[in-house]
Amino acid sequence: MKTYIVLCPVDGKPAPWVENKEKYGRNYGKSFMCYYCREHDTYVGCHNNTRAPLGTMADAELRKLRMAVHAKIDPLWRSGQYKRKDIYKALSKQLGYQYHTGESTKETCRQVLELEIAL
């Protein structure tokens, strides 16, 4: 079994693995486990209630930017016009490295928001 230590990006301390009701007051979604630093309001959800994080911890500004990226790219694959993996492959090619929104920084999100995705 793999051990995960997820660090708060603000203070570098390990973030507790908790139910997301610690953040929202009640559990949301089928997968409700997350790493959450209450002190700095940074968190990341987990795959299927495991300890495997979906990406990197994010503060409010980064979460807002990641949501904006999803608002840009998700309609492309949800429409059925493109496959999700092809969109991420195109973004990775344009950026020059393996791209995943859940692992993106504020700077990367801003870059993606400015890109014309070449599909």
Side-chain angles (χ1 to χ4, degrees), residues 69-70 73-74 77 83-94 97-102 117 119:
V69 168
H70 277 293
I73 64 177
D74 289 1
W77 62 265
K83 292 181 180 178
R84 188 174 183 210
K85 69 177 183 173
D86 292 336
I87 295 166
Y88 276 90
K89 185 185 278 187
L91 284 169
S92 295
K93 185 176 181 180
Q94 285 179 263
Y97 57 87
Q98 186 69 36
Y99 174 78
H100 186 280
T101 305
I117 303 171
L119 292 165

mmCIF file of all heavy atoms in Angstrom, residues 69-70 73-74 77 83-94 97-102 117 119:
data_model
loop_
_atom_site.group_PDB
_atom_site.id
_atom_site.type_symbol
_atom_site.label_atom_id
_atom_site.label_comp_id
_atom_site.label_asym_id
_atom_site.label_seq_id
_atom_site.Cartn_x
_atom_site.Cartn_y
_atom_site.Cartn_z
ATOM 1 N N VAL A 69 -10.243 26.906 -16.035
ATOM 2 C CA VAL A 69 -9.663 26.019 -17.056
ATOM 3 C C VAL A 69 -10.665 24.924 -17.411
ATOM 4 O O VAL A 69 -10.906 24.644 -18.588
ATOM 5 C CB VAL A 69 -8.319 25.416 -16.580
ATOM 6 C CG1 VAL A 69 -7.876 24.284 -17.503
ATOM 7 C CG2 VAL A 69 -7.249 26.492 -16.512
ATOM 8 N N HIS A 70 -11.260 24.315 -16.405
ATOM 9 C CA HIS A 70 -12.259 23.270 -16.675
ATOM 10 C C HIS A 70 -13.448 23.834 -17.452
ATOM 11 O O HIS A 70 -13.979 23.164 -18.346
ATOM 12 C CB HIS A 70 -12.720 22.600 -15.380
ATOM 13 C CG HIS A 70 -11.799 21.526 -14.926
ATOM 14 N ND1 HIS A 70 -11.614 20.351 -15.613
ATOM 15 C CD2 HIS A 70 -10.986 21.452 -13.837
ATOM 16 C CE1 HIS A 70 -10.744 19.596 -14.980
ATOM 17 N NE2 HIS A 70 -10.335 20.247 -13.903
ATOM 18 N N ILE A 73 -12.172 23.838 -21.094
ATOM 19 C CA ILE A 73 -11.876 22.600 -21.820
ATOM 20 C C ILE A 73 -12.943 21.511 -21.694
ATOM 21 O O ILE A 73 -13.099 20.708 -22.602
ATOM 22 C CB ILE A 73 -10.492 22.034 -21.441
ATOM 23 C CG1 ILE A 73 -10.416 21.617 -19.979
ATOM 24 C CG2 ILE A 73 -9.399 23.025 -21.782
ATOM 25 C CD1 ILE A 73 -9.086 20.994 -19.581
ATOM 26 N N ASP A 74 -13.674 21.487 -20.600
ATOM 27 C CA ASP A 74 -14.656 20.417 -20.416
ATOM 28 C C ASP A 74 -15.769 20.401 -21.462
ATOM 29 O O ASP A 74 -16.168 19.320 -21.910
ATOM 30 C CB ASP A 74 -15.254 20.444 -19.014
ATOM 31 C CG ASP A 74 -14.256 20.011 -17.941
ATOM 32 O OD1 ASP A 74 -13.091 19.703 -18.292
ATOM 33 O OD2 ASP A 74 -14.643 19.981 -16.759
ATOM 34 N N TRP A 77 -14.936 18.109 -24.584
ATOM 35 C CA TRP A 77 -15.092 16.657 -24.544
ATOM 36 C C TRP A 77 -16.500 16.244 -24.145
ATOM 37 O O TRP A 77 -16.989 15.213 -24.583
ATOM 38 C CB TRP A 77 -14.042 15.979 -23.658
ATOM 39 C CG TRP A 77 -14.031 16.329 -22.205
ATOM 40 C CD1 TRP A 77 -13.259 17.282 -21.598
ATOM 41 C CD2 TRP A 77 -14.788 15.722 -21.168
ATOM 42 N NE1 TRP A 77 -13.502 17.314 -20.250
ATOM 43 C CE2 TRP A 77 -14.431 16.354 -19.963
ATOM 44 C CE3 TRP A 77 -15.742 14.702 -21.129
ATOM 45 C CZ2 TRP A 77 -15.000 16.007 -18.727
ATOM 46 C CZ3 TRP A 77 -16.294 14.352 -19.913
ATOM 47 C CH2 TRP A 77 -15.928 15.009 -18.733
ATOM 48 N N LYS A 83 -12.295 13.644 -27.653
ATOM 49 C CA LYS A 83 -12.081 12.792 -26.494
ATOM 50 C C LYS A 83 -11.264 13.583 -25.475
ATOM 51 O O LYS A 83 -10.377 14.356 -25.849
ATOM 52 C CB LYS A 83 -11.334 11.518 -26.888
ATOM 53 C CG LYS A 83 -12.163 10.600 -27.751
ATOM 54 C CD LYS A 83 -11.394 9.347 -28.095
ATOM 55 C CE LYS A 83 -12.267 8.449 -28.972
ATOM 56 N NZ LYS A 83 -11.541 7.249 -29.372
ATOM 57 N N ARG A 84 -11.580 13.354 -24.216
ATOM 58 C CA ARG A 84 -10.886 14.067 -23.145
ATOM 59 C C ARG A 84 -9.377 13.867 -23.236
ATOM 60 O O ARG A 84 -8.596 14.818 -23.110
ATOM 61 C CB ARG A 84 -11.421 13.586 -21.793
ATOM 62 C CG ARG A 84 -10.915 14.379 -20.636
ATOM 63 C CD ARG A 84 -11.617 13.927 -19.370
ATOM 64 N NE ARG A 84 -11.180 14.759 -18.263
ATOM 65 C CZ ARG A 84 -11.108 14.349 -17.024
ATOM 66 N NH1 ARG A 84 -11.465 13.125 -16.704
ATOM 67 N NH2 ARG A 84 -10.697 15.155 -16.083
ATOM 68 N N LYS A 85 -8.951 12.632 -23.465
ATOM 69 C CA LYS A 85 -7.514 12.346 -23.525
ATOM 70 C C LYS A 85 -6.851 13.113 -24.670
ATOM 71 O O LYS A 85 -5.697 13.512 -24.566
ATOM 72 C CB LYS A 85 -7.248 10.850 -23.643
ATOM 73 C CG LYS A 85 -7.656 10.229 -24.949
ATOM 74 C CD LYS A 85 -7.295 8.761 -25.003
ATOM 75 C CE LYS A 85 -7.659 8.202 -26.367
ATOM 76 N NZ LYS A 85 -7.196 6.845 -26.544
ATOM 77 N N ASP A 86 -7.576 13.341 -25.779
ATOM 78 C CA ASP A 86 -7.007 14.077 -26.908
ATOM 79 C C ASP A 86 -6.826 15.559 -26.575
ATOM 80 O O ASP A 86 -5.867 16.191 -27.026
ATOM 81 C CB ASP A 86 -7.870 13.908 -28.149
ATOM 82 C CG ASP A 86 -7.835 12.482 -28.683
ATOM 83 O OD1 ASP A 86 -6.845 11.760 -28.418
ATOM 84 O OD2 ASP A 86 -8.806 12.082 -29.359
ATOM 85 N N ILE A 87 -7.726 16.100 -25.787
ATOM 86 C CA ILE A 87 -7.598 17.499 -25.367
ATOM 87 C C ILE A 87 -6.373 17.656 -24.469
ATOM 88 O O ILE A 87 -5.558 18.561 -24.661
ATOM 89 C CB ILE A 87 -8.880 17.975 -24.656
ATOM 90 C CG1 ILE A 87 -10.047 17.980 -25.651
ATOM 91 C CG2 ILE A 87 -8.678 19.360 -24.043
ATOM 92 C CD1 ILE A 87 -11.405 18.091 -25.020
ATOM 93 N N TYR A 88 -6.224 16.747 -23.507
ATOM 94 C CA TYR A 88 -5.067 16.815 -22.611
ATOM 95 C C TYR A 88 -3.768 16.545 -23.369
ATOM 96 O O TYR A 88 -2.733 17.145 -23.077
ATOM 97 C CB TYR A 88 -5.237 15.862 -21.424
ATOM 98 C CG TYR A 88 -6.059 16.492 -20.319
ATOM 99 C CD1 TYR A 88 -7.438 16.350 -20.288
ATOM 100 C CD2 TYR A 88 -5.454 17.246 -19.327
ATOM 101 C CE1 TYR A 88 -8.200 16.946 -19.295
ATOM 102 C CE2 TYR A 88 -6.200 17.846 -18.326
ATOM 103 C CZ TYR A 88 -7.570 17.692 -18.309
ATOM 104 O OH TYR A 88 -8.316 18.292 -17.324
ATOM 105 N N LYS A 89 -3.825 15.681 -24.363
ATOM 106 C CA LYS A 89 -2.630 15.406 -25.179
ATOM 107 C C LYS A 89 -2.240 16.668 -25.958
ATOM 108 O O LYS A 89 -1.058 17.022 -26.046
ATOM 109 C CB LYS A 89 -2.914 14.256 -26.154
ATOM 110 C CG LYS A 89 -1.691 13.823 -26.943
ATOM 111 C CD LYS A 89 -2.042 12.775 -27.986
ATOM 112 C CE LYS A 89 -2.108 11.405 -27.366
ATOM 113 N NZ LYS A 89 -2.281 10.338 -28.367
ATOM 114 N N ALA A 90 -3.229 17.358 -26.525
ATOM 115 C CA ALA A 90 -2.959 18.587 -27.271
ATOM 116 C C ALA A 90 -2.384 19.666 -26.355
ATOM 117 O O ALA A 90 -1.422 20.352 -26.717
ATOM 118 C CB ALA A 90 -4.239 19.086 -27.948
ATOM 119 N N LEU A 91 -2.962 19.812 -25.168
ATOM 120 C CA LEU A 91 -2.440 20.794 -24.219
ATOM 121 C C LEU A 91 -1.009 20.450 -23.810
ATOM 122 O O LEU A 91 -0.155 21.333 -23.738
ATOM 123 C CB LEU A 91 -3.344 20.869 -22.985
ATOM 124 C CG LEU A 91 -4.658 21.616 -23.175
ATOM 125 C CD1 LEU A 91 -5.576 21.404 -21.978
ATOM 126 C CD2 LEU A 91 -4.402 23.099 -23.399
ATOM 127 N N SER A 92 -0.757 19.173 -23.559
ATOM 128 C CA SER A 92 0.595 18.741 -23.177
ATOM 129 C C SER A 92 1.597 19.065 -24.278
ATOM 130 O O SER A 92 2.706 19.537 -24.012
ATOM 131 C CB SER A 92 0.604 17.236 -22.884
ATOM 132 O OG SER A 92 -0.199 16.949 -21.764
ATOM 133 N N LYS A 93 1.198 18.837 -25.519
ATOM 134 C CA LYS A 93 2.081 19.124 -26.650
ATOM 135 C C LYS A 93 2.359 20.618 -26.742
ATOM 136 O O LYS A 93 3.509 21.037 -26.929
ATOM 137 C CB LYS A 93 1.454 18.610 -27.945
ATOM 138 C CG LYS A 93 2.338 18.761 -29.153
ATOM 139 C CD LYS A 93 1.715 18.146 -30.375
ATOM 140 C CE LYS A 93 2.640 18.287 -31.576
ATOM 141 N NZ LYS A 93 2.065 17.687 -32.778
ATOM 142 N N GLN A 94 1.324 21.431 -26.604
ATOM 143 C CA GLN A 94 1.499 22.877 -26.697
ATOM 144 C C GLN A 94 2.350 23.435 -25.550
ATOM 145 O O GLN A 94 3.123 24.369 -25.759
ATOM 146 C CB GLN A 94 0.136 23.577 -26.731
ATOM 147 C CG GLN A 94 -0.571 23.431 -28.069
ATOM 148 C CD GLN A 94 -1.919 24.114 -28.069
ATOM 149 O OE1 GLN A 94 -2.941 23.480 -27.851
ATOM 150 N NE2 GLN A 94 -1.915 25.409 -28.328
ATOM 151 N N TYR A 97 5.044 19.685 -21.819
ATOM 152 C CA TYR A 97 5.141 18.731 -20.704
ATOM 153 C C TYR A 97 3.767 18.129 -20.453
ATOM 154 O O TYR A 97 2.758 18.649 -20.921
ATOM 155 C CB TYR A 97 5.681 19.390 -19.427
ATOM 156 C CG TYR A 97 4.862 20.573 -18.956
ATOM 157 C CD1 TYR A 97 3.755 20.405 -18.128
ATOM 158 C CD2 TYR A 97 5.195 21.859 -19.354
ATOM 159 C CE1 TYR A 97 2.998 21.482 -17.722
ATOM 160 C CE2 TYR A 97 4.449 22.951 -18.942
ATOM 161 C CZ TYR A 97 3.356 22.756 -18.125
ATOM 162 O OH TYR A 97 2.619 23.832 -17.722
ATOM 163 N N GLN A 98 3.746 17.018 -19.713
ATOM 164 C CA GLN A 98 2.497 16.314 -19.408
ATOM 165 C C GLN A 98 1.605 17.217 -18.561
ATOM 166 O O GLN A 98 1.943 17.544 -17.433
ATOM 167 C CB GLN A 98 2.788 15.008 -18.663
ATOM 168 C CG GLN A 98 1.575 14.140 -18.429
ATOM 169 C CD GLN A 98 1.037 13.531 -19.714
ATOM 170 O OE1 GLN A 98 1.798 13.176 -20.593
ATOM 171 N NE2 GLN A 98 -0.260 13.413 -19.818
ATOM 172 N N TYR A 99 0.469 17.617 -19.108
ATOM 173 C CA TYR A 99 -0.429 18.544 -18.434
ATOM 174 C C TYR A 99 -1.589 17.820 -17.760
ATOM 175 O O TYR A 99 -2.183 16.904 -18.329
ATOM 176 C CB TYR A 99 -0.998 19.566 -19.439
ATOM 177 C CG TYR A 99 -2.030 20.453 -18.811
ATOM 178 C CD1 TYR A 99 -1.648 21.501 -17.996
ATOM 179 C CD2 TYR A 99 -3.390 20.218 -18.985
ATOM 180 C CE1 TYR A 99 -2.591 22.296 -17.374
ATOM 181 C CE2 TYR A 99 -4.337 21.014 -18.381
ATOM 182 C CZ TYR A 99 -3.931 22.047 -17.569
ATOM 183 O OH TYR A 99 -4.869 22.837 -16.952
ATOM 184 N N HIS A 100 -1.906 18.264 -16.559
ATOM 185 C CA HIS A 100 -3.116 17.824 -15.861
ATOM 186 C C HIS A 100 -3.601 19.018 -15.040
ATOM 187 O O HIS A 100 -2.826 19.622 -14.294
ATOM 188 C CB HIS A 100 -2.822 16.638 -14.945
ATOM 189 C CG HIS A 100 -4.066 16.073 -14.334
ATOM 190 N ND1 HIS A 100 -4.675 16.630 -13.246
ATOM 191 C CD2 HIS A 100 -4.814 15.007 -14.680
ATOM 192 C CE1 HIS A 100 -5.750 15.933 -12.936
ATOM 193 N NE2 HIS A 100 -5.861 14.946 -13.798
ATOM 194 N N THR A 101 -4.861 19.370 -15.172
ATOM 195 C CA THR A 101 -5.393 20.549 -14.500
ATOM 196 C C THR A 101 -5.219 20.470 -12.991
ATOM 197 O O THR A 101 -4.873 21.460 -12.353
ATOM 198 C CB THR A 101 -6.881 20.750 -14.861
ATOM 199 O OG1 THR A 101 -7.004 20.801 -16.282
ATOM 200 C CG2 THR A 101 -7.420 22.047 -14.273
ATOM 201 N N GLY A 102 -5.438 19.298 -12.394
ATOM 202 C CA GLY A 102 -5.331 19.144 -10.949
ATOM 203 C C GLY A 102 -3.928 19.306 -10.407
ATOM 204 O O GLY A 102 -3.739 19.418 -9.194
ATOM 205 N N ILE A 117 -6.474 26.126 -28.127
ATOM 206 C CA ILE A 117 -6.124 24.707 -28.101
ATOM 207 C C ILE A 117 -6.097 24.154 -29.516
ATOM 208 O O ILE A 117 -7.093 24.223 -30.241
ATOM 209 C CB ILE A 117 -7.112 23.907 -27.210
ATOM 210 C CG1 ILE A 117 -7.121 24.507 -25.802
ATOM 211 C CG2 ILE A 117 -6.706 22.433 -27.165
ATOM 212 C CD1 ILE A 117 -8.206 23.936 -24.904
ATOM 213 N N LEU A 119 -6.332 21.308 -31.715
ATOM 214 C CA LEU A 119 -6.805 19.936 -31.790
ATOM 215 C C LEU A 119 -6.820 19.432 -33.227
ATOM 216 O O LEU A 119 -6.956 20.132 -34.155
ATOM 217 C CB LEU A 119 -8.223 19.815 -31.197
ATOM 218 C CG LEU A 119 -8.268 20.041 -29.695
ATOM 219 C CD1 LEU A 119 -9.694 20.269 -29.241
ATOM 220 C CD2 LEU A 119 -7.696 18.838 -28.968
#
